[in-house]
Amino acid sequence: TADSAKNADTVGGYKAGNGVNMLVPVVAFNVGENAGYIKLGNGLIVQWGSATGHEVDVTLPIAYSKYYSISLSVKHHSESDGWSRTGTYERKTLKGFHISVCTTDITILSDWITVGF
């Protein structure tokens, strides 16, 4: 409508805000080759990355304030079609976590994503 075209808070029929049919502003983001994050105005944070090594300490770019979930996959780094399995994380804090596998003589490639507030 003509009225919504004049309203800077309305884009494509959606209104700025945090409810149904409303836009949620991005307040911070960074996307790199192997990692990235996005933080929305409602507090939701999504962070992702990759790491190589037998054991890896992941420090999150943005610390969570309440809680978050981790999804993690691990594969053998030296084999192109190598095995993959669910990874193990431990020592989880609001600022990061530790990734490891039970076999000590291999290098792993870990891909992870976290979602939370």
Side-chain angles (χ1 to χ4, degrees), residues 14 23 45 70 91:
Y14 293 91
L23 297 173
I45 303 170
I70 301 170
R91 300 195 303 262

Side-chain angles (χ1 to χ4, degrees), residues 24-93:
V24 178
V26 173
V27 297
F29 76 94
N30 186 355
V31 178
E33 186 175 330
N34 295 316
Y37 64 84
I38 186 168
K39 181 176 182 179
L40 301 178
N42 64 0
L44 180 68
I45 303 170
V46 179
Q47 302 181 77
W48 61 90
S50 294
T52 303
H54 171 65
E55 294 196 27
V56 179
D57 287 314
V58 174
T59 301
L60 297 167
I62 299 176
Y64 288 97
S65 60
K66 295 181 183 178
Y67 53 83
Y68 66 99
S69 295
I70 301 170
S71 179
L72 175 67
S73 70
V74 174
K75 66 181 178 180
H76 194 282
H77 182 62
S78 64
E79 298 178 20
S80 61
D81 65 344
W83 53 264
S84 63
R85 66 171 122 175
T86 303
T88 301
Y89 65 87
E90 56 194 8
R91 300 195 303 262
K92 178 182 168 187
T93 69

